[in-house]
């Protein structure tokens, strides 16, 4: 009986700690998404996305690829934004390969948007198209 009460107490304490500190974590993530547009912030987003991708943390890598896209668009580098859309979609595809219940609709949207960018390089277009073919195997239009 004492162990059960102790377990409930510890669980409650951990829940309280999480509630206290989670707003700070969320605020930090929101602040990162509101960074000013700059080449330094684009490079930082790219480096972080690649780091988390290499670590297998595809969700966090995706978040940084979204910032990469925002920075590239803000810099007027639509060719880089197209690559960012491809890479963001690929993080979702990697998640899908680990967990087939992962929704591929956002990946499809990124890939179609990337293909619609006139400034996308030929190499980028090939990757976008290849990834879109994979997605379409699972999403029926």
């Amino acid at each position: 009986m004492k162990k059960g009460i102790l377990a409930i107490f510890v669980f409650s304490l951990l829940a309280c700690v999480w509630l206290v500190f989670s707003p700070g974590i969320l605020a930090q993530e929101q602040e990162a998404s509101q960074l000013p547009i700059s080449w330094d912030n684009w490079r930082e987003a790219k480096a972080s996305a690649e780091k988390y991708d290499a670590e297998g943390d595809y969700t966090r890598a995706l978040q940084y690829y979204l910032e990469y896209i925002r920075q590239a668009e803000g810099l007027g580098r639509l060719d880089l934004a197209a690559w960012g859309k491809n890479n963001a979609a690929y993080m979702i595809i990697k998640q899908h390969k680990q967990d087939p219940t992962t929704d591929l609709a956002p990946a499809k949207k990124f890939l179609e948007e990337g293909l619609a960018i006139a400034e996308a390089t030929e190499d980028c277009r090939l990757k976008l198209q290849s990834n879109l073919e994979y997605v379409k195997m699972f999403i029926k239009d």
Side-chain angles (χ1 to χ4, degrees):
M1 182 70 168
K2 287 182 182 179
K3 287 183 182 179
I5 293 171
L6 180 61
I8 291 171
F9 174 76
V10 170
F11 178 75
S12 299
L13 182 63
L14 289 173
C16 289
V17 168
W18 182 82
L19 287 173
V20 168
F21 289 106
S22 65
I25 293 167
L26 293 174
Q28 287 174 348
E29 289 180 7
Q30 270 187 326
E31 187 178 307
S33 70
Q34 299 303 314
L35 294 172
I37 303 299
S38 73
W39 281 109
D40 286 341
N41 289 334
W42 175 82
R43 281 188 282 278
E44 179 65 31
K46 180 178 189 251
S48 294
E50 291 171 348
K51 172 187 176 275
Y52 289 115
D53 178 15
E55 292 175 1
D57 188 345
Y58 306 128
T59 301
R60 186 162 279 155
L62 173 60
Q63 292 172 337
Y64 281 99
Y65 276 121
L66 296 177
E67 180 61 15
Y68 169 114
I69 294 165
R70 192 179 77 80
Q71 291 288 328
E73 289 172 342
L75 291 164
R77 289 296 306 268
L78 299 182
D79 58 326
L80 295 176
W83 274 113
K85 289 177 183 285
N86 177 72
N87 295 342
Y90 195 55
M91 294 305 104
I92 297 168
I93 290 169
K94 285 183 172 186
Q95 290 173 345
H96 180 262
K97 288 179 178 181
Q98 287 182 334
D99 176 6
T101 64
T102 299
D103 183 11
L104 287 172
K108 183 176 185 268
K109 182 178 181 284
F110 285 133
L111 296 166
E112 290 172 342
E113 289 173 354
L115 284 167
I117 295 173
E119 294 83 354
T121 64
E122 187 59 32
D123 188 37
C124 181
R125 287 184 179 289
L126 291 172
K127 295 285 186 187
L128 288 160
Q129 190 60 49
S130 174
N131 287 330
L132 185 57
E133 288 172 20
Y134 173 86
V135 167
K136 285 184 173 182
M137 289 190 315
F138 300 95
I139 296 178
K140 304 302 179 215
D141 289 330

